[in-house]
Amino acid sequence: MSVVIGLTGGIGSGKSTVSGLFKALNVSVIDADVVARQVVAKGQMALKKIHDYFGPDILIEGELNRPKLREIIFADPEKKNWLNKLLHPLIREQMLTQLADAKGDYVILEAPLLFENKLETYCDYVVVVDIDEQVQVKRASARDNNSIEQIKAIINSQIERQLRLQKANFVIENSTISLLQLEKSVIALDKQLRALQ
């Protein structure tokens, strides 16, 4: 099995951009958010169970009504707990299968909540994309069209920046650099990661 590199960072840190730069270097990237969508796709058993539990309003044309589900589980911790118990094992199993099937010197597991969901236990090393909080709030609110208060609430629900940095093996600093400089950082890190065999 390839060396597994966890890739994480707070909201608006540029994690997806970094992940895209790794993909451009022919590195396999398993995205936890994509896997989470796959397990509740049309025709999946998990979607049927969600439909049975939450009722027909939870679907739109056979697809999961994500905004409606989000609304329900934020208002009801018991329902959120039920959903987590259903989905977390399925997501983990699917991620581990994809990680085992990945080829190359190393594979990246991209997860915004890597530490919060204890996914670092599946990683040999962790890369954190780090960003100054003021820049983070500005970027994330511009990108997602969310209020600054909403972005700050999301930041506060994630692991503290200092703790995330303490847990990192490698850090990509992304507060003030251009895309070209970011690309150079990723290319340099790629060389280091390939040498970890």
Side-chain angles (χ1 to χ4, degrees), residues 6-9 92 111-121 123 125-129 158-170:
L7 175 66
T8 193
R92 262 169 219 267
L113 302 175
L114 188 84
F115 297 122
E116 293 86 338
N117 290 336
K118 303 193 176 12
L119 298 175
E120 79 275 17
T121 55
C123 303
Y125 301 93
V126 172
V127 174
V128 166
V129 183
Q158 294 180 335
I159 190 172
E160 234 174 75
R161 180 183 177 200
Q162 282 315 112
L163 191 53
R164 190 188 292 122
L165 286 169
Q166 281 168 23
K167 289 172 173 271
N169 300 104
F170 303 94

Side-chain angles (χ1 to χ4, degrees), residues 13-27 106 127 129 139 171-194:
S13 61
K15 188 174 55 286
S16 300
T17 304
V18 168
S19 155
L21 292 168
F22 275 112
K23 282 181 196 164
L25 297 170
N26 291 319
V27 176
Y106 67 95
V127 174
V129 183
R139 276 189 198 166
V171 176
I172 293 178
E173 166 45 53
N174 192 26
S175 292
T176 55
I177 62 175
S178 67
L179 186 57
L180 188 62
Q181 288 168 306
L182 185 61
E183 193 175 356
K184 282 180 180 166
S185 297
V186 170
I187 289 168
L189 182 55
D190 172 65
K191 286 196 177 84
Q192 276 183 278
L193 297 177
R194 287 183 195 278

Side-chain angles (χ1 to χ4, degrees), residues 58-77:
I58 211 67
L59 300 183
I60 299 177
E61 293 172 15
E63 302 271 356
L64 184 61
N65 181 347
R66 288 172 186 286
K68 177 85 177 162
L69 182 63
R70 202 175 299 126
E71 196 181 297
I72 293 168
I73 63 170
F74 270 113
D76 189 332

